[in-house]
Amino acid sequence: MASRLNPYLSFNGDARAALEHYKDVFGGTLNLSTFGEFGQADSPQADQIMHGMLEAPNGFTLMGADTPPGMDYSPSGNVSVSVSGDDDAELRGYWEKLSAGAQVSVPLDKQMWGDVFGMCTDRFGITWLVNIAQQRG
């Protein structure tokens, strides 16, 4: 297996809903494992996600989990997930689903560098950047 870099997102009890939403956005196969399946069946976190992995048909891999018991949840404002390319229809489709119900800080529009770009923070607290590369003349 070749090395690869994958975002791993932390959630505060809503990892299942978030990862299912991202499956709706990107498609693919979602595998979820709960804390209950790994020795914490009687804990309040039994149904929370210990590890989740979404593998989309386009090669995207997104992982995430609920914050484990005994650890503090600390949402990170210094990391965003960027989706970029030149397939306008595909990327606009992602944007529509990611920005639905999100706080849009930069509407998807042509930017000074020539590309179409948008930025939003979804209802799960994840910041998404979508960049659609434009043909350079």
Side-chain angles (χ1 to χ4, degrees):
M1 171 198 267
S3 297
R4 56 188 191 178
L5 179 67
N6 302 317
Y8 202 107
L9 307 174
S10 295
F11 299 94
N12 193 23
D14 56 0
R16 180 185 304 276
L19 292 168
E20 287 173 349
H21 173 66
Y22 302 143
K23 181 181 188 288
D24 180 55
V25 172
F26 299 112
T29 303
L30 177 61
N31 291 303
L32 300 173
S33 300
T34 65
F35 288 103
E37 293 171 306
F38 288 89
Q40 297 181 25
D42 297 327
S43 76
Q45 295 81 20
D47 291 328
Q48 290 186 352
I49 302 304
M50 185 192 82
H51 176 72
M53 185 165 81
L54 173 63
E55 293 184 289
N58 61 7
F60 291 175
T61 299
L62 188 62
M63 296 183 205
D66 288 308
T67 302
M71 293 182 71
D72 291 328
Y73 172 71
S74 57
S76 177
N78 63 348
V79 175
S80 302
V81 181
S82 177
V83 182
S84 57
D86 61 5
D87 187 327
D88 189 87
E90 176 185 50
L91 291 160
R92 283 183 187 275
Y94 296 156
W95 172 259
E96 291 304 316
K97 290 178 180 179
L98 290 169
S99 64
Q103 179 182 7
V104 175
S105 50
V106 178
L108 188 68
D109 204 356
K110 187 163 187 151
Q111 301 298 321
M112 65 181 112
W113 60 89
D115 291 349
V116 172
F117 173 83
M119 183 167 73
C120 66
T121 301
D122 70 17
R123 66 183 185 263
F124 303 104
I126 305 302
T127 300
W128 292 90
L129 312 173
V130 175
N131 192 87
I132 306 169
Q134 302 300 294
Q135 295 293 336
R136 304 291 192 254

